[in-house]
């Protein structure tokens, strides 16, 4: 994996949209949602309830004999630069930093990198 594609946002994180049209104008800026999937090769993330698009599905014959078609709404991926991780302490968007900590496991010291909030310094 190329280091240029290493993202600081992971699946399951709570993020806030920081770019685009405001909610009052029909956009998603200011909304928060959980990351459902991360696409590092395209620098995009899929966020629950954000960037919803309508897909039209053609009515086709199913096995049971019914026809399933119409309009379906799905979330579309959004660029990672348009979202910011939400600080768990004060529920506001923050940048992500890393801190190295030594943890003792099975009697041996091991250095691990942990993600920290730049806003409060709290571990994420």
């Amino acid at each position: 994996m190329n280091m240029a594609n290493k993202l600081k946002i992971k699946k399951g994180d709570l993020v806030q949209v920081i770019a685009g049209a405001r909610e009052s104008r029909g956009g998603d800026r200011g909304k928060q949602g959980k990351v459902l999937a991360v696409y590092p090769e395209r620098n995009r993330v899929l966020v629950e309830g954000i960037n919803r698009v309508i897909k039209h599905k053609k009515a086709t014959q199913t096995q049971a004999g019914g026809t399933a078609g119409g309009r379906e709404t799905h979330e579309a991926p959004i660029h990672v630069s348009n979202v910011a991780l939400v600080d768990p302490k004060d529920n506001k968007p923050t940048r992500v930093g890393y801190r190295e900590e030594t943890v003792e496991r099975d009697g041996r010291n091991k250095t691990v990198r942990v993600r920290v909030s730049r806003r409060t310094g709290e571990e994420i």
Side-chain angles (χ1 to χ4, degrees):
M1 186 169 145
N2 189 356
M3 281 305 285
N5 292 343
K6 180 98 171 88
L7 303 181
K8 297 181 178 186
I9 293 176
K10 309 284 181 224
K11 181 179 174 182
D13 284 346
L14 183 67
V15 294
Q16 181 172 332
V17 180
I18 57 171
R22 289 189 176 85
E23 256 187 281
S24 60
R25 291 178 161 258
D28 288 331
R29 191 195 317 173
K31 288 185 183 176
Q32 292 184 357
K34 195 175 183 182
V35 176
L36 300 174
V38 179
Y39 307 108
E41 63 282 350
R42 296 186 345 212
N43 287 324
R44 294 184 177 271
V45 290
L46 190 68
V47 185
E48 186 177 28
I50 304 295
N51 199 20
R52 294 182 65 83
V53 294
I54 295 174
K55 296 241 179 181
H56 293 79
K57 190 171 182 191
K58 189 174 183 179
T60 57
Q61 198 75 26
T62 60
Q63 289 280 14
T67 56
R71 294 164 38 133
E72 295 179 350
T73 51
H74 299 283
E75 287 100 356
I78 186 171
H79 199 273
V80 73
S81 66
N82 295 331
V83 296
L85 193 68
V86 173
D87 193 329
K89 192 173 184 181
D90 59 2
N91 230 19
K92 291 184 179 175
T94 182
R95 292 175 309 168
V96 181
Y98 290 94
R99 181 170 57 214
E100 290 190 356
E101 294 180 353
T102 54
V103 179
E104 188 174 329
R105 281 198 194 131
D106 303 327
R108 295 203 316 249
N109 286 340
K110 187 177 179 184
T111 304
V112 291
R113 290 177 73 205
V114 292
R115 292 188 305 161
V116 294
S117 162
R118 290 277 178 98
R119 173 185 274 277
T120 59
E122 288 284 309
E123 190 174 317
I124 298 171

